[in-house]
Amino acid sequence: MEKKSRIYIAGHLGLVGSAIHRKLRELGYENLLFRSEKDLNLMRQENVEGFFDQQRPEYVFLAAAKVGGVLANSTFPAEFIYNNLAIQTNIIHSAYLYKVKKLLFLGSSCIYPRECAQPMREQYLLSGYLEQTNEPYAVAKIAGIKMCQAYNRQYGTCFISVMPTNLYGQNDNFDLETSHVLPALIRKFCEAKMEGRKEVEIWGTGTPKREFLYVDDLADACVFLMNNYEDSEIVNIGVGKDLAIIDLARLIARVVGFEGTIKLDTGKPDGTPVKRLDVSKLTGLGWQAVTPVEEGIRRTYKWYLDNYASRQASPGK
Ligand code: GFB
């Protein structure tokens, strides 16, 4: 990408898209294109093609998606498969029609089989059954990968696909029903501390293990790959280390300053037992994550206090 290239960030208000937007600005890219949902409905093919025809982006970061935690995925399976298939199909096909130079598609680590060998290497894709709680989402993401690869093969496009691990950071979703675990626990411990409660309930058995990548690191990796990677094969983006949910809960409780007890709600789903990416391909290309998880949690907690919690506290906002 040149500093003056026309770069479209689909999903620029979300966790990932907003981080890519910040990173590109910070690096001096000055010709950034973005549209809110109100101005461009990505579920409508005609609208998306019209936008590409008019704006002619040269590079596309496809970060628009319907995302959510383990409960949201199992409660709204139809929305997770339909919205994601529609959004990504419309954008990838428009990128082909309007001759985008390069597109980066964001997948997810849930594309790998539930019982996948750990750490999960790129070649384990489609080597076993998927986790049930998020199968519709995973199938949509796998379709996105295969679509990029098929277009590259048949039409000679340059569409790359990256698979991030569990992400967190500013602009995350802090809704307790639909969010991922890390923002949910920041909010739960923070509210319990403020209300003087002695106990916080977390979902599941606490034993599943997850890997957490700070979203600003992810954005840096995406820009790096956009500039340095051209292959159709997928690339994992992670930190290569994981921790048990109960240990994550203790760490967040410490950062927030909650001193009560942690209770397990085993009626809620655990999801995949373990999920850790093999990141040797990415490190071999010359990139690695820099933000330790405790530091990332501190920054996200601060953002939560400055933005989300204060918004909740002032009526009318
Ligand atoms: O982050 P999370 O919702 O998604 O849950 P997944 C991770 C683990 O944290 C599960 C536990 O074992 C949850 O049971 N957990 C404990 C909690 N307390 C909570 C809580 O208060 N809220 C939430 N949300 N979880 C998603 C997929 O899976 O990960 C998506 O459903 C996507 O498709 C995403 O791939 C990255 O890691 O299980």
Side-chain angles (χ1 to χ4, degrees):
M1 291 182 295
E2 307 289 325
K3 296 290 169 187
K4 290 197 182 313
S5 301
R6 292 173 72 71
I7 306 169
Y8 171 45
I9 307 148
H12 75 288
L13 295 174
L15 172 69
V16 171
S18 64
I20 292 174
H21 188 198
R22 281 196 300 282
K23 178 59 65 182
L24 290 169
R25 278 216 184 291
E26 182 192 312
L27 294 172
Y29 293 95
E30 51 197 53
N31 212 344
L32 305 182
L33 301 168
F34 41 86
R35 291 289 182 276
S36 64
E37 212 176 328
K38 182 169 62 65
D39 297 321
L40 175 60
N41 184 349
L42 296 173
M43 304 270 294
R44 298 276 167 264
Q45 187 180 3
E46 224 180 278
N47 299 1
V48 178
E49 282 185 17
F51 169 76
F52 273 75
D53 186 17
Q54 232 177 29
Q55 300 298 326
R56 304 286 169 147
E58 295 168 274
Y59 296 89
V60 174
F61 287 90
L62 207 180
K66 175 161 182 70
V67 297
V70 65
L71 192 64
N73 267 269
S74 46
T75 314
F76 310 109
E79 289 173 41
F80 275 85
I81 192 159
Y82 173 61
N83 294 36
N84 285 303
L85 282 175
I87 293 169
Q88 71 203 30
T89 300
N90 292 341
I91 295 178
I92 293 169
H93 190 66
S94 296
Y96 152 64
L97 289 179
Y98 294 98
K99 302 190 170 35
V100 162
K101 288 183 183 158
K102 199 163 177 180
L103 173 145
L104 180 144
F105 172 65
L106 279 131
S108 163
S109 59
C110 70
I111 56 145
Y112 293 111
R114 174 184 160 86
E115 308 289 344
C116 196
Q118 304 289 315
M120 304 185 292
R121 306 182 66 181
E122 284 87 352
Q123 57 264 45
Y124 299 160
L125 173 64
L126 292 177
S127 62
Y129 291 108
L130 296 165
E131 154 65 23
Q132 280 302 304
T133 51
N134 56 31
E135 193 187 46
Y137 176 75
V139 166
K141 289 294 184 184
I142 293 170
I145 297 168
K146 293 295 168 191
M147 192 165 166
C148 288
Q149 293 174 342
Y151 276 54
N152 291 346
R153 205 163 75 225
Q154 186 176 342
Y155 302 135
T157 48
C158 187
F159 296 165
I160 63 172
S161 301
V162 304
M163 300 305 123
T165 190
N166 288 35
L167 304 167
Y168 68 99
Q170 76 178 67
N171 289 322
D172 210 338
N173 170 16
F174 288 87
D175 178 283
L176 292 179
E177 290 298 308
T178 59
S179 66
H180 288 99
V181 61
L182 200 149
L185 296 191
I186 288 183
R187 179 169 172 186
K188 282 183 181 177
F189 287 121
C190 180
E191 288 182 351
K193 181 181 146 189
M194 297 206 172
E195 292 161 15
R197 278 187 277 123
K198 296 275 167 281
E199 191 178 89
V200 161
E201 203 166 69
I202 69 166
W203 297 353
T205 59
T207 56
K209 291 179 129 188
R210 294 288 184 275
E211 175 188 2
F212 297 96
L213 176 68
Y214 189 54
V215 75
D216 290 67
D217 284 3
L218 170 85
D220 191 59
C222 289
V223 175
F224 171 81
L225 289 168
M226 189 64 120
N227 283 325
N228 295 288
Y229 187 76
E230 309 233 305
D231 205 89
S232 274
E233 289 310 315
I234 62 177
V235 186
N236 289 339
I237 308 181
V239 291
K241 277 184 243 159
D242 57 8
L243 78 167
I245 295 301
I246 187 68
D247 295 327
L248 173 78
R250 290 186 186 122
L251 176 58
I252 296 177
R254 184 154 53 78
V255 168
V256 171
F258 170 79
E259 289 173 349
T261 52
I262 298 171
K263 202 177 150 207
L264 301 171
D265 174 3
T266 50
K268 291 283 192 319
D270 264 345
T272 312
V274 279
K275 204 160 59 160
R276 180 162 50 95
L277 292 177
D278 181 311
V279 288
S280 52
K281 183 167 176 177
L282 184 57
T283 46
L285 289 166
W287 187 91
Q288 84 189 57
V290 295
T291 312
V293 69
E294 183 163 346
E295 174 59 23
I297 290 170
R298 283 187 196 287
R299 287 189 212 161
T300 309
Y301 175 47
K302 183 176 184 320
W303 186 89
Y304 170 80
L305 287 177
D306 294 347
N307 297 271
Y308 197 93
S310 59
R311 208 156 55 213
Q312 297 280 96
S314 23
K317 281 197 184 169

